[in-house]
Amino acid sequence: MRRTVFNEDHEAFRETLRAFIETEVVPVYDEWFEAGQAPRDFYYKLGELGVFGIRVPEEYGGAGIDSHKFEAVMYEETARAGVSFGGSGVHVLLGLPYIQMLADDEQKKRYLPKFVTGEEMWALAMTEPGTGSDLAGMKSTAKLSEDGTHYVLNGAKTFITGGVHADRVIVCARTAAPTAEDRRFGISLFAVDTKAEGYSVGRKLDKLGLKTSDTAELAFVDVKVPVEDLLGEENKGFYYLGQNLPSERWGIAFGAYAQAKAAVQFAKSYVQDRTVFGKSVASFQNTKFELAACQAEVDAAEAVADRALEALDEGELTPAEAASAKLFCTEVAHRVIDRCLQLHGGYGFMNEYPIARLYADNRVNRIYGGTNEVMKMIIAKDMGL
């Protein structure tokens, strides 16, 4: 099926990225898996490769390309190789949109050059223990000091991807109490320096999947945040979060589609090499039918993911469309990866095989970025239901 979403520049980037993955990631990926995170210096290599600066304006050291298509290539190539870039995905997918949308000129001059090189890695801290998807229920507070020079941040966050290695974290905290009319009012965003006194990283969480991604708990005890690190206006944080959710959900959708596509290739290679009862597993009709059905689902998910990508690049991806893409692509990936693991038999349950790691990694796609149940609520509301 012919695709039109990528051009020659994207394919040239794909070749460069594929070679980088083969030399810099694949040989050491098992070590990262056992360690539970990618090493910090790997992010400098990504900075040198230029992947952090693709959408950053040239004046700050980036390439100035206003497109998510290079990110899409990264999703496909890491999935194809059965690897990840650790917790760095949130740096670009979650961190950059807030800097671009909310930072003033002075902040961009401070933040973006180090963002591009990997000298400062960014993460996003929204979720709190006990609140889950109910962001309006967050308890973390940021109170303006009497002299007006800084905020005093107190609270805790959990499930923060990239939280161990992060140098700056966009923290959501209450600067005012919610109103009777709007419980979402009063949330603000801050670009918090992780070296600040009172900031601490708690447990590095032991996850079912995404083992090379550093996910942590964070705590803030009287952390002084300069007023110069407030992003956007006070009390409008919930609105800002809503503005960026479509791009985040597109990323989850596209990543899930890429995982499903990779799973089919892993299974195809395995069944062609594996022999049972004197015949290759690929020769059995059931194998052919299962893989054919999986390929048809991947084709459909690819079309949905590509359509969402085009809409995102054109600034036209609506919240409901993003929710629909996430719902569909993650559900397809769930079904396809499970069926492809089944075709591996017992070996599919072994972590030395990419399909096993992919199975575990994929599970969170239906949870983060808003659960798929929430996606259904958004879509139903858009339908007028």
Side-chain angles (χ1 to χ4, degrees):
M1 189 174 295
R2 190 173 70 88
R3 299 175 78 185
T4 59
V5 70
F6 298 125
N7 62 29
E8 293 180 359
D9 291 339
H10 302 122
E11 296 306 327
F13 176 68
R14 186 188 302 278
E15 292 181 12
T16 299
L17 189 63
R18 187 172 295 183
F20 175 84
I21 290 171
E22 289 300 317
T23 58
E24 299 290 342
V25 182
V26 172
V28 294
Y29 196 70
D30 285 346
E31 298 174 18
W32 297 4
F33 189 85
E34 292 301 322
Q37 62 187 34
R40 178 63 177 83
D41 61 4
F42 173 67
Y43 298 150
Y44 291 108
K45 293 181 181 180
L46 290 177
E48 292 173 2
L49 188 65
V51 299
F52 293 152
I54 292 171
R55 290 194 287 116
V56 174
E58 293 181 31
E59 62 188 294
Y60 304 115
I65 302 173
D66 187 18
S67 172
H68 290 77
K69 292 182 179 179
F70 292 93
E71 292 167 46
V73 171
M74 282 188 272
Y75 283 123
E76 291 186 337
E77 289 305 307
T78 50
R80 174 186 176 275
V83 301
S84 79
F85 285 164
S88 66
V90 300
H91 182 64
V92 174
L93 181 64
L94 302 185
L96 184 58
Y98 289 98
I99 301 174
Q100 290 178 318
M101 178 175 71
L102 302 176
D104 59 30
D105 290 342
E106 185 275 332
Q107 288 175 321
K108 288 178 180 177
K109 289 177 182 177
R110 283 195 290 125
Y111 300 152
L112 287 175
K114 294 179 181 180
F115 181 100
V116 170
T117 62
E119 184 178 348
E120 280 193 353
M121 295 299 296
W122 288 61
L124 177 63
M126 294 190 290
T127 305
E128 295 184 356
T131 63
S133 296
D134 182 20
L135 297 180
M138 69 176 62
K139 304 298 183 183
S140 295
T141 60
K143 297 183 179 179
L144 187 64
S145 62
E146 291 184 3
D147 62 7
T149 62
H150 63 273
Y151 292 84
V152 180
L153 174 64
N154 285 281
K157 300 290 182 179
T158 192
F159 305 146
I160 309 307
T161 302
V164 174
H165 285 320
D167 301 289
R168 278 198 183 267
V169 176
I170 299 173
V171 178
C172 313
R174 283 208 164 274
T175 45
T179 66
E181 297 77 20
D182 186 3
R183 62 190 295 266
R184 298 172 296 182
F185 173 81
I187 294 171
S188 300
L189 307 184
F190 301 89
V192 179
D193 187 339
T194 63
K195 296 185 294 296
E197 184 177 352
Y199 179 103
S200 63
V201 177
R203 290 187 303 148
K204 181 163 72 71
L205 300 174
D206 183 16
K207 308 185 296 295
L208 170 67
L210 301 178
K211 290 291 188 179
T212 63
S213 170
D214 54 308
T215 302
E217 296 174 329
L218 306 179
F220 321 107
V221 179
D222 294 334
V223 177
K224 292 182 179 179
V225 183
V227 293
E228 292 82 6
D229 287 327
L230 170 68
L231 290 173
E233 297 181 37
E234 264 195 6
N235 304 324
K236 291 189 176 181
F238 200 96
Y239 168 76
Y240 298 144
L241 294 172
Q243 290 290 101
N244 280 323
L245 279 173
S247 64
E248 178 183 350
R249 288 166 179 163
W250 163 79
I252 297 170
F254 205 96
Y257 138 71
Q259 289 176 326
K261 182 177 181 179
V264 172
Q265 293 307 308
F266 293 147
K268 178 182 175 183
S269 296
Y270 179 82
V271 298
Q272 288 176 326
D273 293 338
R274 176 73 167 146
T275 300
V276 178
F277 305 122
K279 300 169 60 178
S280 74
V281 176
S283 67
F284 291 94
Q285 186 183 65
N286 179 70
T287 303
K288 296 176 182 179
F289 281 10
E290 282 292 285
L291 283 177
C294 287
Q295 183 61 53
E297 289 216 73
V298 168
D299 286 344
E302 180 179 86
V304 169
D306 284 357
R307 185 181 69 176
L309 172 55
E310 293 283 19
L312 180 64
D313 268 10
E314 293 168 7
E316 298 177 354
L317 184 64
T318 68
E321 289 170 342
S324 178
K326 178 186 183 293
L327 175 64
F328 183 77
C329 291
T330 58
E331 294 291 345
V332 165
H334 163 64
R335 293 191 297 269
V336 167
I337 294 170
D338 183 74
R339 294 167 83 173
C340 287
L341 186 149
Q342 186 73 17
L343 290 173
H344 282 72
Y347 289 105
F349 204 64
M350 301 296 111
N351 274 329
E352 64 186 279
Y353 281 79
I355 193 67
R357 299 180 183 182
L358 194 59
Y359 182 86
D361 290 351
N362 168 75
R363 185 59 186 89
V364 76
N365 288 335
R366 291 180 288 149
I367 298 174
Y368 65 4
T371 65
N372 278 11
E373 289 73 22
V374 172
M375 297 305 101
K376 292 175 183 178
M377 291 170 61
I378 293 170
I379 297 166
K381 182 177 180 180
D382 186 67
M383 295 171 66
L385 299 175

